Amino acid sequence: MASDERPSGPAPTGGSRRHRSEEKPALKRLKRLRGAVAAAAGRARTRATAQRVGQLPPPPGPFRPGFWRSPIRGPWLTSVFGLILLIGIPILFITGLLSYASYNPDLSPLNDETPDKGVLGFYLFAWPTHPYWLYRLLQGVHVTLGVVLVPVLLAKLWSVIPKLFEWLPVRSIAHGLERLSLLMLVGGVIFEFVTGIINIQLYYVFPGSFYRLHFYGAWVFIAAFVVHVCLRLGRMTRALRSRSLGAELRTDLAHTVPELPDPDGLVAAAPAPPTMTRRGAVGMVGAGSLLLLVVTAGQSIGGWLRGTALLAPHNRDPGSGPNSFQINKTAAKVGVTAALVGPDWRLEVHGRGAPRVFTRDQLLAMPQHAAALPIACVEGWSTEDQHWSGLRLADLAALAGLPDAGSGLVESIQPPGPFTRVVLRGNQIHDPRALLALRVNGADLSLDHGYPARIIVPANPGVNNTKWVHRLTFRA
């Protein structure tokens, strides 16, 4: 039988419930107050520690303010060099990106030296064949401008070197981020210029692909460059307006005085007597850039200026005769011997249906076409227009049963290595000047220039104009 008894003990009342509900907000307020006190104490300890560290004397040498004593170093001179780089570096970056696009890396993995680029390839597009001198111009500007800017870059680094040895190295989070961007900027620009100059001198000592290192390095550098410009553009503008360029160019040594102290610490705290005017510094940098222009630009411009290109690795005398123009690598250097291209050599043409196989004599017996095109290389050198003759790639695609071919794989008889195979776009195949060249300047190709057959395509990088071709595969 069920019991009517109830649990003993006092029943909860509404008053005690209200007491507990009022107690909870009070505890929360107390906890928040304790947290705020602890945080304030932590911040105070951090400030005290930072103050004690900040009172430490800087280490000897370049960290001491009195170490840097040039009386002409200051915001104005730094801004003059910075303005030149502000114009030149974006041109270098854009021409570099266009040079990368010219390889058609989004067409095939064979053309892509940076397969992990991800979103960095957002701008890639089908590389055109018009105008035919496009790649020659872009790469000539890229390499020549890069060399010419070296004295300006060195002068800019000299002008801001006290900033690199600033004490304390990091004073706050914001200051730390600025220092990090400066480290990326200086490290990035040195890396890009050094690797570029080494490459154009054909001194391949890279711990990997030059294309990959230079490509990723450029993006790291340009990110730091944009941050730096955003932070410093206002100061640069004010510094340039603080002095008249004409007045500085008229100032002699006796009237050369330091600039007013600046917040960045570029002006020497204890300047030495001047030994050079700002006019002399600007003139010396300008003369250095002009000299580098004279001894470099001829490899891209050609004509009589080619003889002045003393720093160009291809300023060697290529000899005389129809094949007397520049090459990048000889046949012997890449392992192509006369035996590989002797009487047994055949050209295979693949497409729809059975492959077609041709001897060189059979190719010469077909209708021949001509085109006047230069060769331009990533190292910045180029040739004048050479007169090529051979078979149109479009005609060979038609022979393969694909008159509307969308792409074509070109394979060299050269032993396997970088760029021994390349894929061409449909627009390159169907340009009437795109040839499988058999002769140049009225003579058979020399072995170094790709005998028995090579590719020549308008506006195509030289390394993609494959030499010693033995197989063409056209695809829809």
Side-chain angles (χ1 to χ4, degrees):
M1 186 170 68
S3 172
D4 292 333
E5 294 183 2
R6 297 188 179 186
S8 61
T13 64
S16 62
R17 286 195 298 269
R18 284 195 301 273
H19 177 73
R20 285 197 297 271
S21 64
E22 292 172 357
E23 188 179 46
K24 291 179 180 178
L27 288 173
K28 291 180 179 178
R29 286 194 295 272
L30 180 60
K31 290 179 180 179
R32 285 198 297 269
L33 180 60
R34 288 176 177 172
V37 171
R43 288 194 295 269
R45 287 193 297 270
T46 302
R47 285 195 296 269
T49 302
Q51 187 175 7
R52 287 194 298 271
V53 173
Q55 291 172 350
L56 293 174
F63 292 96
R64 298 282 175 92
F67 184 86
W68 308 104
R69 303 191 61 199
S70 172
I72 64 173
R73 184 185 281 115
W76 183 84
L77 191 60
T78 296
S79 297
V80 170
F81 298 137
L83 179 62
I84 298 171
L85 294 176
L86 183 60
I87 298 170
I89 284 177
I91 296 175
L92 283 179
F93 183 66
I94 292 172
T95 53
L97 291 184
L98 292 175
S99 176
Y100 176 68
S102 69
Y103 286 78
N104 286 316
D106 58 336
L107 176 64
S108 167
L110 294 178
N111 296 19
D112 194 357
E113 289 292 311
T114 56
D116 301 322
K117 62 186 176 297
V119 297
L120 298 182
F122 70 93
Y123 72 96
L124 295 174
F125 56 96
W127 189 249
T129 57
H130 299 271
Y132 72 91
W133 40 259
L134 178 62
Y135 185 76
R136 182 184 184 189
L137 173 66
L138 288 175
Q139 200 59 18
V141 168
H142 182 76
V143 169
T144 302
L145 180 60
V147 173
V148 167
L149 286 180
V150 167
V152 184
L153 173 65
L154 294 177
K156 177 69 160 59
L157 292 176
W158 169 86
S159 72
V160 299
I161 197 169
K163 187 73 175 173
L164 302 180
F165 291 93
E166 189 178 68
W167 187 260
L168 292 166
V170 178
R171 299 170 186 166
S172 64
I173 294 177
H175 184 250
L177 291 175
E178 180 185 352
R179 298 288 289 175
L180 179 61
S181 71
L182 187 63
L183 177 64
M184 293 172 60
L185 179 72
V186 174
V189 73
I190 292 174
F191 178 83
E192 286 299 288
F193 273 74
V194 169
T195 55
I197 290 172
I198 289 175
N199 181 70
I200 64 178
Q201 293 300 320
L202 305 179
Y203 189 51
Y204 299 116
V205 292
F206 307 105
S209 168
F210 161 76
Y211 298 88
R212 187 171 302 182
L213 293 171
H214 207 63
F215 178 80
Y216 290 125
W219 280 106
V220 171
F221 165 64
I222 204 66
F225 179 78
V226 170
V227 171
H228 185 74
V229 169
C230 292
L231 293 174
R232 297 289 174 175
L233 185 61
R235 294 186 187 182
M236 185 187 80
T237 303
R238 290 191 294 272
L240 289 172
R241 290 175 176 173
S242 68
R243 288 172 176 258
S244 166
L245 176 61
E248 286 296 330
L249 295 181
R250 291 191 299 270
T251 302
D252 59 16
L253 187 63
H255 295 88
T256 297
V257 296
E259 296 184 49
L260 296 175
D262 67 304
D264 291 323
L266 298 180
V267 178
T275 58
M276 176 182 287
T277 64
R278 294 181 182 85
R279 171 182 63 189
V282 173
M284 182 174 66
V285 172
S289 292
L290 180 61
L291 177 63
L292 289 176
L293 175 66
V294 170
V295 298
T296 303
Q299 67 170 346
S300 301
I301 297 174
W304 64 268
L305 285 173
R306 194 174 298 279
T308 69
L310 302 179
L311 293 185
H314 292 276
N315 192 42
R316 299 182 294 269
D317 181 6
S320 59
N323 282 270
S324 59
F325 54 95
Q326 287 76 9
I327 58 172
N328 198 339
K329 294 180 181 179
T330 64
K333 188 170 184 177
V334 299
V336 175
T337 63
L340 291 175
V341 295
D344 293 335
W345 175 88
R346 298 290 185 272
L347 175 72
E348 299 177 17
V349 180
H350 296 253
R352 184 176 290 124
R356 305 287 297 273
V357 181
F358 302 94
T359 65
R360 193 170 189 277
D361 288 339
Q362 288 173 326
L363 295 174
L364 286 169
M366 297 178 183
Q368 303 290 295
H369 299 274
L373 299 172
I375 294 177
C377 203
V378 69
E379 289 90 2
W381 65 267
S382 60
T383 72
E384 289 85 2
D385 291 354
Q386 307 298 321
H387 295 273
W388 310 88
S389 63
L391 282 72
R392 286 177 175 164
L393 295 181
D395 294 340
L396 290 169
L399 282 175
L402 290 170
D404 298 320
S407 65
L409 170 64
V410 182
E411 298 178 78
S412 174
I413 204 168
Q414 176 183 341
F419 304 108
T420 58
R421 298 186 299 164
V422 69
V423 177
L424 300 177
R425 285 191 181 276
N427 66 312
Q428 294 176 313
I429 294 170
H430 297 293
D431 190 294
R433 296 164 297 179
L435 304 176
L436 178 73
L438 305 173
R439 294 168 62 83
V440 64
N441 299 324
D444 287 343
L445 295 169
S446 68
L447 183 59
D448 284 342
H449 279 299
Y451 178 89
R454 69 169 297 161
I455 295 294
I456 187 72
V457 173
N460 205 29
V463 73
N464 280 4
N465 287 323
T466 310
K467 297 191 285 188
W468 311 295
V469 175
H470 83 105
R471 184 181 294 119
L472 297 171
T473 303
F474 294 99
R475 298 164 179 166

